[in-house]
Structure formats: structure tokens, C-alpha cells
Amino acid sequence: MNKGVITITDAEFETEVLQAEQPVLVYFWASWCGPCQLMSPLINLAATTYSDRLKVVKIEVDPNPKSVKQYQVEGVPALRLIQGDKLLTSIEGVIGKEKLLQILDENLVSS
């Protein structure tokens, strides 16, 4: 069982996210984005805390325009919680630890 955050590209999106057996938290980020650096430890925390029922991937926005467009990412950091081809929730901007854990708890109950 992978306990870390997996870095993916547009080419891997379908396999890693849409065909995953469990919900996937997709973290859209950019190297030039200051707030993204604040979010990174939280994303790692989510990957560790929910490793039994959630897959966590991160995708850099600039080299991967297809996924950015498909999920209408307007700013980074951005999170998309996806199960199969269904978008469960969508968040733009920095959020705190409590908010992130609350969102995951609410959406992972049924899995």
C-alpha cells in the first residue's frame, strides 16, 4: 500500500486517477506558487492519515494543461477529490488542516 503522495502527469492521469480502485485526492500545484508550499505538508499528512482508503496524487499545472483544463483549475493550490469519473469535491486556494480533514472525512465515509 502506497503511503506517499504520487507525482503524476497528464499521460498518467487516467490510469492513476480515473481507474483507481479508491477515491483519489488530486493536488494541483506549481513550483512558483508560494501558497502551494504551505499546502504540501497537509497533502502529505492526508496521504499518510488516509492511506487505507484514499490515494493522493499531485500534478504540476504548467506541464499538464490537459488535466488542468479538464478539472477547471483556475488557481493553485487546488484540490479535486475524484472517484472513478465522478468529481466528489473541488477546492481552490489554501485551506487549513481541520478543513482538509473534515472534507476528507465527509467524502470518505461511504467508501
Side-chain angles (χ1 to χ4, degrees), residues 39-91:
M39 285 293 289
S40 286
L42 273 187
I43 301 306
N44 292 329
L45 174 76
T48 314
T49 308
Y50 294 91
S51 60
D52 58 332
R53 53 199 165 131
L54 178 71
K55 180 175 184 177
V56 181
V57 301
K58 69 181 203 173
I59 184 164
E60 192 172 357
V61 291
D62 295 329
N64 299 293
K66 187 173 162 236
S67 302
V68 168
K69 186 170 188 277
Q70 185 176 354
Y71 287 93
Q72 300 169 339
V73 175
E74 292 174 8
V76 285
L79 298 172
R80 300 292 184 266
L81 187 59
I82 300 166
Q83 183 157 25
D85 56 3
K86 199 167 124 217
L87 181 63
L88 301 178
T89 192
S90 159
I91 302 147

